[in-house]
């Protein structure tokens, strides 16, 4: 796991049943969610490597609204089902 690079921030939403975690490279997105009541949990890890991690948003879900995958075909299949493509969330180290 990289120990340097861009931080991937981890946030927690305590207001939905079962809670919900969200991950982002964006400090402004982190700050906006904290302003809405999400809890900042610090840096989850650092982005590094060359493997794209795609992020999708499900506008119909109330929890688990985001999915993260390195599989471009999975990304495309979810988008076909109505998820919103949010592009590359960060880069990961491949095994």
């Amino acid at each position: 796991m990289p120990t340097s690079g861009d931080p991937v921030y981890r946030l927690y939403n305590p207001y939905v049943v079962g809670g919900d975690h969200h991950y982002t490279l964006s400090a402004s997105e982190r700050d906006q969610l904290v302003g809405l009541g999400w809890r900042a949990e610090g840096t989850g890890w650092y982005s590094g490597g060359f493997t794209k991690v795609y992020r999708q948003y499900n506008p119909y879900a109330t929890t688990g609204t985001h999915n993260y995958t390195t599989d471009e075909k999975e990304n495309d299949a979810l988008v076909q089902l109505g998820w919103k493509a949010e592009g590359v969330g960060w880069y990961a180290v491949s095994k």
Side-chain angles (χ1 to χ4, degrees):
M1 180 180 309
T3 56
S4 64
D6 295 325
V8 179
Y9 303 109
R10 178 180 157 130
L11 298 111
Y12 177 72
N13 182 352
Y15 301 107
V16 296
V17 176
D20 196 13
H21 280 93
H22 182 67
Y23 305 93
T24 183
L25 280 179
S26 171
S28 62
E29 181 179 28
R30 176 202 60 201
D31 295 345
Q32 179 184 14
L33 291 173
V34 167
L36 294 172
W38 289 64
R39 293 183 192 149
E41 294 185 332
T43 300
W45 61 86
Y46 292 92
S47 176
F50 302 99
T51 303
K52 294 177 182 178
V53 178
Y54 300 99
R55 187 172 108 169
Q56 310 83 35
Y57 171 72
N58 184 343
Y60 308 107
T62 56
T63 187
T65 56
H66 281 86
N67 184 65
Y68 311 91
T69 183
T70 59
D71 186 333
E72 189 172 4
K73 290 180 182 177
E74 179 182 10
N75 176 74
D76 296 346
L78 288 172
V79 170
Q80 290 272 330
L81 292 172
W83 290 66
K84 305 297 181 196
E86 294 188 333
V88 175
W90 60 85
Y91 290 84
V93 175
S94 62
K95 290 187 175 186

